Amino acid sequence: MLRRVASLSFLTLGLLSRLALGDNPINPGFPYGSEKVRGVNLGGWLVLEPWITPSIFDNTGNPNIVDEWTFCQMQDRNTAMSVLTNHWNTWITESDFAAIAAAGLNHVRLPIGYWAFEVGPGEPYCTGQLPYLQQAVSWAETYGLKVIVDLHGAPGSQNGFDNSGQRLSFPGWHSNATNVARTDAIIKQIASMFAGQENVVPIIAPLNDFPYGTSQEGNTVVLLHDAFQPLSYWNGFQTPPGWQGVAMDTHIYQMFSQDEVSRSDQEHISAACAYASSLSTFDLWIIVGEWTPAPTDCATYLNGRGVGARYDGTYPGSTFVGSCDGLTGSASSFSSSYKTFLRQYWEAQVITFEKGSGWIQWTWKAENADDWTYQAGLANGWIPQNPTQLMYPNICG
Ligand SMILES: *[C@@H]1O[C@H](CO)[C@@H](O)[C@H](O)[C@H]1NC(C)=O
């Protein structure tokens, strides 16, 4: 999961992607633009996030283990490897792909870190993720799902968050040409790994939270992140016919500032609906690649292991809005009015994001944050079994 990013002056670094060869439009493995993307992220599987699997971090007994880097650096390596291997084998299995397809979804977005492909000298990461990526693609094919391979962490960290593999005060990717070159090589490796499988892997997202791509050939669509700029910033950027096969990824969350966690339920819904015009008028395929029905930052470790929440005032510099009790954790603690709100807010976002090319919710499952997960939404009724069956089709007016 990702939220804010480095400053815009670095954007030109990797800008790139794919210059079409004249009148040779690509033929992607999914009809983006005519059919809506409806999907879910497989977060916390091949890249650990403390808030998705807090037990994996708590069980270390070491409060300084806050991300995947420190997970493999600050404990016995055999222990780290065996915990990770068990996690990779159990967190997502074939039955998850079956359930995702049965829920009427057509895409999964699968975050993976650079260290699955190449680990540099002095980097403590554990490896062994690649066979799981390949297995995931094969399960997706079995169940008719498309996979967006999402490079979620780059060398040096592109965003400084634990979800990039390394929690840092200053992201170190963009200012280091070696890191950028390593990333470029890894993206080429991903592209060649799935060359010829564009029907299952139609899109590669070269770098989460950063609009970085690389030149590509074939029918693979390149999904660029909007770098948290307003969509108007990107108007006219890499559009057809000069460019082909470029899509934009935008992430829409409403809990990573004091203003946002202070919104009322109706304000959250209105703010979601307000994205309709920028999404519907955008000139590239635009996918909301991360979003959630959760309205608060209450989930344990959401802001990092050992870091509190803005909503209840335990985050540094924040002001109490309300108690987190009954707003995250197990759905068994959720009131019926909160579940009704989750349904309305989910539908408002789905309706709005389908004004663009579609949506991919963050995330499929979590140990103890049912407000965030597609799985808990299905089980507890705030997400419909078929994502086109809406109870509040006029929620946005
Ligand atoms: C750039 O990153 C590489 C690792 O990819 C590292 O070895 C090198 O020291 C970094 N250079 C600078 C100037 O920080």
Side-chain angles (χ1 to χ4, degrees), residues 118 120-121 123 155-156 172-173 175-180 182:
E118 180 256 310
E123 297 174 352
W173 174 74
S175 56
N176 181 320
T178 307
N179 288 336
V180 174
R182 289 173 68 193

Side-chain angles (χ1 to χ4, degrees), residues 12 14-28 211-218 220-224 234-248 283-285:
T12 46
L15 284 189
L16 56 101
S17 59
R18 146 210 290 284
L19 198 46
L21 302 174
D23 48 16
N24 193 12
I26 71 154
N27 180 23
Y212 173 79
T214 187
S215 55
Q216 281 265 99
E217 286 169 10
T220 306
V221 174
V222 177
L223 185 64
L224 300 180
W234 298 98
N235 277 341
F237 179 77
Q238 296 196 354
T239 51
W243 298 84
Q244 298 279 345
V246 178
M248 186 66 79
D283 52 13
L284 294 172
W285 296 323

Side-chain angles (χ1 to χ4, degrees), residues 51 292-294 299 327-334 338 342 361 363 365-377 380 382-383:
W51 75 270
T292 174
L327 299 181
T328 191
S330 167
S332 61
S333 72
F334 296 180
Y338 183 48
L342 290 174
Q361 183 177 323
T363 187
K365 62 182 286 197
E367 283 178 347
N368 192 31
D370 284 355
D371 45 331
W372 281 79
T373 75
Y374 210 96
Q375 213 179 31
N380 295 281
W382 66 82
I383 297 180

